[in-house]
Amino acid sequence: MLDIRLIREQPDFVKEGLSKCGVAPDKVDEVLRCDEERRAIETEVSELRAKRNAGSKEIGKLADNEAREAFKTEMRLIGDKISELDLRRNELEEIQSDLMLAIPNIPDPEMPIGADDRDNPVVRVEGEPRKFDFTPKPHWEIGTDLGILDIERGVKISGSRFYVLKGLGAALQRALISWFLDVHIQTQGYTEIYPPFVVKEECLFGTAQLPKFRDNQYHDVEDDLWLVPTAEVPVTNLHREEILDPGSLPIKYVAYTPCFRREKMSAGRDVRGIKRGHQFDKVEMVKMVKPEDSREELISLLDDAEEICRQLKIPYRVVEVCTGDKGFANVRQFDLELFAPGQGENPGDGEWLEVSSCSNFTDYQARRANIRFRREQGAKPEFVHTLNGSGLALPRVMIAVLENYQNADGSVTIPEVLRSYMGGKEVITKA
RNA sequence: GGAGAGAUGGCUGAGUGGUCUAAAGCACCCGCCUGCUAAGCGGGAGUAGGGGGUAUACCCUUACCUCGGGUUCGAAUCCCGAUCUCUCCGCCA
């Protein structure tokens, strides 16, 4: 959520910033109108209450019964007026809150301006795509032939966009998860979190998946719980409604969770293979930092994610996301894309697969989730800045590993960093 | 799932309709004093909103005792509902 004071005091700045990501300026005017009326009523109610509080105190002291009754009647009338104004105030409060929740964060001045993902500049490309002396196959062929990926049975038991990993396929994914976590924990200073995979609704409002992306969430009606679409949700909300003690920042968490998404918006897209499923695994880094540090922390977060790509020895590129394509709550965003030689229009074209998205949310999520900190004992609470980034998303890393490390005979070499996680095995061959 | 108990400030914990403007203690900040590892004394201090203003000061005011309703001139306190926690029983990986 944006700061209402910023909207009040610098409406033109807010409008201009939001226009870069396609938000009409009258959204801001609506908020201002609502805010003004609400404050006027607030003042009136506040004065009436003061009057009643004083009056009620007098009644307690009055001895004369008649005067007492008359006074009571007077106070009752004030009370009625208060209830009436309260109704309108609550109404306005709700309208304003709904409006505020639907306004995205204002892009950082450094965020490139653009209309959609075609305008996202490539910041840099790392590593050379491997030269194949055969036509590289897509992962669904490699995986199916090796007997480690079973798409048909996934669909049989759970429907489209589900698949089953088997044998060394399942082991490879588990190895990746463990190794990702260990890199972040042991060499980058993150603390591991194992959170619940279902959360209460308010958590999704906190990180801003709700209200806008309701259609993409799995919701259990019976207990009113939501399946997490990313570990960002439970982990960021760990400190909701808290004031963190001096010295506790920066906080760096890393968590593995499955992620559940309905993908209604992507119907018909990426239906082949395991690129886009309703359930996928991901390791996610979440940081909470002091406001003045968040710009730099984004760069180091990106580097922490890149470290995985480097060690995997798979070519990747860094893309900066433009204003028209940015996430709802962030001010700046970098995506990491691994090269997958078996993807693309024609066999052997290759394609860049998004495996990470690193974002700075400034105080936007912190304000929604009410996460604050004190600089010193007794200092005024301030909102933290939150950041998060995948490190990394599993299915697409699986695709990249299978396709980059495939051999002419259909086997797949296991990347060196993963071998100790797979019992020393070096190659996946047909079982 | 059944029965019962409970939820008060950063923490502990009193408070059963009106000086609650929430006692007291711990922790915290400032000052004083004493040269014994620290104690004593005095003072201060919550969060959010609104109004004023000489506008980072300061003043006024409202709300907040888990949350939401209700009763009342007036609710931490009484009533209803929800949530959460704990105890016991049952079931269970």
Side-chain angles (χ1 to χ4, degrees):
Chain A
M1 212 153 35
L2 296 178
D3 186 354
I4 183 65
R5 283 193 202 105
L6 180 69
I7 298 180
R8 239 182 249 158
E9 285 158 24
Q10 299 180 58
D12 293 332
F13 169 80
V14 173
K15 284 180 197 172
E16 202 217 311
L18 289 174
S19 73
K20 292 186 206 162
C21 44
V23 176
D26 54 338
K27 287 277 165 212
V28 177
D29 290 323
E30 257 180 86
V31 171
L32 284 169
R33 268 200 305 278
C34 194
D35 183 54
E36 200 175 328
E37 190 187 345
R38 203 202 82 244
R39 274 153 65 208
I41 291 176
E42 196 90 51
T43 307
E44 196 179 348
V45 167
S46 174
E47 279 162 5
L48 285 173
R49 274 194 218 273
K51 208 162 156 190
R52 185 179 66 177
N53 285 350
S56 291
K57 234 171 223 181
E58 286 306 309
I59 289 173
K61 293 178 191 162
L62 279 181
D64 180 61
N65 226 350
E66 214 168 292
R68 217 173 144 117
E69 286 310 312
F71 216 164
K72 274 194 190 179
T73 310
E74 196 184 319
M75 289 304 112
R76 191 180 301 126
L77 289 176
I78 294 180
D80 291 347
K81 181 75 184 161
I82 292 172
S83 315
E84 194 185 303
L85 289 171
D86 253 349
L87 280 178
R88 178 64 182 155
R89 196 204 45 182
N90 289 343
E91 200 184 328
L92 287 166
E93 224 165 52
E94 205 181 318
I95 294 170
Q96 186 174 341
S97 156
D98 287 350
L99 288 169
M100 294 285 284
L101 288 171
I103 294 177
N105 205 351
I106 301 171
D108 187 284
E110 290 196 46
M111 185 179 258
I113 294 173
D116 53 47
D117 58 357
R118 283 167 303 194
D119 296 327
N120 295 344
V122 175
V123 178
R124 60 198 140 82
V125 181
E126 304 284 348
E128 282 290 317
R130 173 183 157 195
K131 301 259 189 297
F132 285 89
D133 46 20
F134 58 97
T135 307
K137 290 191 282 189
H139 66 279
W140 56 82
E141 280 179 28
I142 304 167
T144 307
D145 290 348
L146 284 172
I148 60 173
L149 170 64
D150 190 339
I151 292 174
E152 270 177 45
R153 289 200 176 89
V155 172
K156 177 171 75 179
I157 59 176
S158 301
S160 69
R161 291 200 190 280
F162 287 94
Y163 56 89
V164 174
L165 295 175
K166 189 177 165 191
L168 288 174
L172 175 64
Q173 172 155 299
R174 188 158 47 84
L176 283 163
I177 293 167
S178 295
W179 173 65
F180 288 176
L181 286 168
D182 285 345
V183 169
H184 299 312
I185 295 160
Q186 291 164 13
T187 68
Q188 298 172 346
Y190 290 80
T191 302
E192 184 173 4
I193 299 288
Y194 174 85
F197 300 160
V198 292
V199 293
K200 299 187 201 174
E201 186 177 82
E202 63 229 48
C203 293
L204 286 144
F205 275 96
T207 35
Q209 280 75 21
L210 287 179
K212 193 172 175 191
F213 305 104
R214 189 169 289 268
D215 289 351
N216 203 30
Q217 315 301 324
Y218 283 101
H219 178 218
D220 166 48
V221 178
E222 196 167 348
D223 293 312
D224 195 19
L225 288 170
W226 300 70
L227 271 67
V228 298
T230 159
E232 163 192 357
V233 177
V235 175
T236 306
N237 279 282
L238 280 178
H239 294 296
R240 67 176 296 110
E241 308 291 340
E242 286 185 26
I243 300 175
L244 301 163
D245 290 328
S248 36
L249 299 183
I251 289 173
K252 294 165 73 174
Y253 289 138
V254 62
Y256 153 76
T257 70
C259 305
F260 301 93
R261 301 183 183 180
R262 297 179 65 210
E263 301 291 2
K264 285 277 187 254
M265 306 299 288
S266 316
R269 214 164 69 203
D270 307 325
V271 283
R272 202 80 202 268
I274 64 171
K275 185 171 162 191
R276 187 183 296 273
H278 289 306
Q279 172 190 325
F280 65 96
D281 285 20
K282 184 156 63 69
V283 168
E284 184 80 6
M285 299 172 280
V286 173
K287 288 193 196 180
M288 297 180 201
V289 306
K290 291 182 186 169
E292 64 271 26
D293 296 335
S294 67
R295 286 167 149 259
E296 281 174 36
E297 292 283 1
L298 175 61
I299 304 305
S300 81
L301 179 69
L302 176 65
D303 190 61
D304 291 341
E306 280 186 67
E307 180 61 20
I308 300 286
C309 303
R310 286 192 285 262
Q311 290 194 33
L312 268 180
K313 301 200 161 98
I314 294 176
Y316 70 95
R317 65 180 194 183
V318 181
V319 170
E320 177 157 17
V321 176
C322 74
T323 52
D325 189 37
K326 85 174 188 74
F328 185 77
N330 64 34
V331 304
R332 206 165 178 210
Q333 176 184 349
F334 293 97
D335 286 354
L336 285 183
E337 300 181 344
L338 283 179
F339 187 71
Q343 301 292 295
E345 296 280 306
N346 306 300
D349 279 0
E351 184 186 323
W352 297 95
L353 291 180
E354 185 187 326
V355 292
S356 178
S357 188
C358 298
S359 290
N360 179 8
F361 301 94
T362 61
D363 59 359
Y364 188 91
Q365 292 181 325
R367 187 170 282 112
R368 288 167 87 117
N370 201 20
I371 307 168
R372 294 173 294 170
F373 76 104
R374 284 186 218 276
R375 287 178 190 277
E376 292 152 32
Q377 278 286 344
K380 249 202 158 346
E382 297 173 53
F383 289 112
V384 303
H385 278 196
T386 59
L387 304 97
N388 65 54
S390 349
L392 305 167
L394 264 304
R396 295 180 186 177
V397 177
M398 290 281 286
I399 294 174
V401 169
L402 294 179
E403 295 186 4
N404 281 285
Y405 281 87
Q406 63 180 301
N407 302 312
D409 65 359
S411 67
V412 171
T413 303
I414 296 170
E416 234 173 271
V417 285
L418 298 177
R419 290 180 190 167
S420 63
Y421 291 85
M422 294 183 71
K425 218 164 184 46
E426 292 176 14
V427 188
I428 299 175
T429 48
K430 193 162 180 170

